[in-house]
Amino acid sequence: MSAAPDLRRFREAYAAHRAAEGRGSGGEAEALALPRLRAGPQRRQWAVRARTFERFLEAVVAVRALEVSPRPLRVLDLGAGNGWLCYRLARLGHRCVAIDIRDDDVDGLRAADLYRAHLPAMFGRIAASFEALPIAACVFDVAVFNAALHYALDLRRALEEAARVVVAGGRIAVLDSPFYRKAEDGEAMVREKKAGAHLRFGEHADVLTAPPFIEYLTVERLEEASSGLGLRWRCHRVRYPLAYELRPLIARLRRRRPPSRFDLWEATVP
């Protein structure tokens, strides 16, 4: 992503939309609770994201930490938002850098100021795009796309950049991006999103739907974009709350398209 006028407008409109949703309205208490949010309008969404995060800690962070022990992990959080994942990992003793194109104080990078008083050293924050990371090669042990890879404009370039900044043997992880079994289902979701944009986004609809984000992933799409990079992906299934797990059955009964899943995906950098 660049600083082109349309993306500048996107950042501004997205911050306004997130504020209207109530994001960041819980202040410090809410920020410190993430992703285990127990109250508020986003609690159900965070109940899903908390499960993914726990699986990430178990399947990626703990395993990679043993490999680099006794030093802490170096983690790059891509699409970090307010930096809650960096905060959680920093509390475990790891060293983190948060990347996001948004630096607003709603739930962008400036909102991470709330964490400063609760950490011995504040994690780094950089406003940048996935496709052009201002970071030297072979720096991080883990790069994690944190509910963010579907916002890539160029999936191949985003994966190339992640692989470039991760050391050999390090991991790239994808959290909470919508995966579909079939591309046709993902395309149907995109059409539905655009058709309902004015109802969902109001006056910001045209701006928020203008950038050509990839919007969704499939196994085939991920593997095609990874071709030649030596990345072999594996899925770590996440056990989500019952209401979430019942969505495919409910969709079939209502004769709707199959819903996405938000499992954890991991690849080792050669």
Side-chain angles (χ1 to χ4, degrees), residues 4 18 117 154 164 169 199-200 213 239 242-243:
R18 300 283 274 192
D154 184 330
R164 180 183 65 80
L199 182 62
R200 179 182 178 188
F213 301 128
R239 293 185 178 181
L242 181 60

Side-chain angles (χ1 to χ4, degrees), residues 74-116:
R74 298 182 297 255
V75 180
L76 183 65
D77 182 1
L78 297 162
N82 74 347
W84 66 266
L85 186 144
C86 286
Y87 166 70
R88 288 289 180 183
L89 295 185
R91 295 274 292 181
L92 295 175
H94 302 304
R95 297 175 182 173
C96 305
V97 173
I99 296 278
D100 205 290
I101 62 165
R102 293 174 48 226
D103 62 356
D104 58 80
D105 58 7
V106 178
D107 62 347
L109 293 175
R110 287 204 307 275
D113 287 343
L114 292 170
Y115 296 122
R116 188 181 301 276

